[in-house]
Amino acid sequence: MIFNLFRLLADFFHLLTFVVLLYKIYSKKSCSGISLKTQILYCLVFTMRYVDLAWNFEHMYNTVMKILFLAFSYATVYLIMFKYQTSYRQHAAHDNFRIIFLIVPSFLLALAISDKLRPFEVLWTTSILLESVAILPQLFLLTRCSKVDVMTADYVFLLGAYRALYIFNWIVRYMTEANFVRYSTYISCGAGLVQTIIYLDFFYYYLQSRWYGKDLELPK
């Protein structure tokens, strides 16, 4: 496996999202402003993508990262649903995005575009497509909040930054790896571009709030 600076930075930012999110929950003993729907989607994404942990030990780095992403994702859902469920109930009525309309289309599209209709290939493709839209319930929830908590905003920003860095990673790999472009590459890059575009509006308001030192407020 070939690593470059953008890949390492992207993975670091991705891990940092979990650190920021879990620190926010533990330090404030509250999960206010956090979408359970988005966290459930990420659990599905990582479960489908990393089912190969049972047989694929290609690289220690990948194995460790897969375990961390799974552990952090399920830990977050546990904290929201059980340990700090009282704080979640305060905004649960606003966290009502119908995620079935993200899951089913992702699966059906994966069936249509997967290179091979083998179970793991379909699950992998579904996870790539689903990750590109998994942030939508979180963004939907934030638009219904009068003000966005600073750490919640940082968490969402880091998620978007991680995906944007992966685009640069793909560019570097395209320029340096002879066999980088495969059918699965088009799926990953296409979904990654969609995911980054979804974040653009949030990036604008987040950076604006940081520049002027104001609370983040997203348009309703």
Side-chain angles (χ1 to χ4, degrees), residues 98-116:
R98 301 286 295 279
I99 60 175
I100 192 68
F101 294 123
L102 301 178
I103 298 171
V104 173
S106 295
F107 177 69
L108 293 178
L109 184 56
L111 286 175
I113 68 175
S114 290
D115 188 22
K116 299 175 183 177

Side-chain angles (χ1 to χ4, degrees), residues 6 8 14 26 52 66 84 110 115 119 169 176 208 215:
F6 292 112
L8 294 174
H14 203 178
Y26 272 112
D52 67 338
K66 290 176 182 180
Y84 299 112
D115 188 22
N169 163 59
T176 58
Q208 189 179 58
D215 292 326

Side-chain angles (χ1 to χ4, degrees), residues 22-100:
L22 292 173
Y23 177 76
K24 167 201 159 58
I25 294 174
Y26 272 112
S27 63
K28 298 191 174 183
K29 295 180 170 47
S30 169
C31 54
S32 62
I34 302 300
S35 170
L36 175 60
K37 301 291 183 68
T38 283
Q39 299 308 316
I40 289 174
L41 288 177
Y42 281 126
C43 282
L44 287 174
V45 164
F46 296 133
T47 300
M48 289 187 290
R49 188 176 305 168
Y50 301 146
V51 69
D52 67 338
L53 267 174
W55 68 82
N56 185 2
F57 298 97
E58 175 187 1
H59 199 284
M60 180 60 69
Y61 177 87
N62 271 354
T63 300
V64 171
M65 295 295 276
K66 290 176 182 180
I67 292 172
L68 288 175
F69 290 153
L70 283 166
F72 286 146
S73 295
Y74 278 95
T76 303
V77 169
Y78 166 78
L79 292 174
I80 296 173
M81 292 186 68
F82 300 103
K83 191 173 180 64
Y84 299 112
Q85 59 177 296
T86 302
S87 62
Y88 174 71
R89 289 198 191 111
Q90 296 174 7
H91 68 262
H94 296 315
D95 190 22
N96 58 1
F97 195 101
R98 301 286 295 279
I99 60 175
I100 192 68

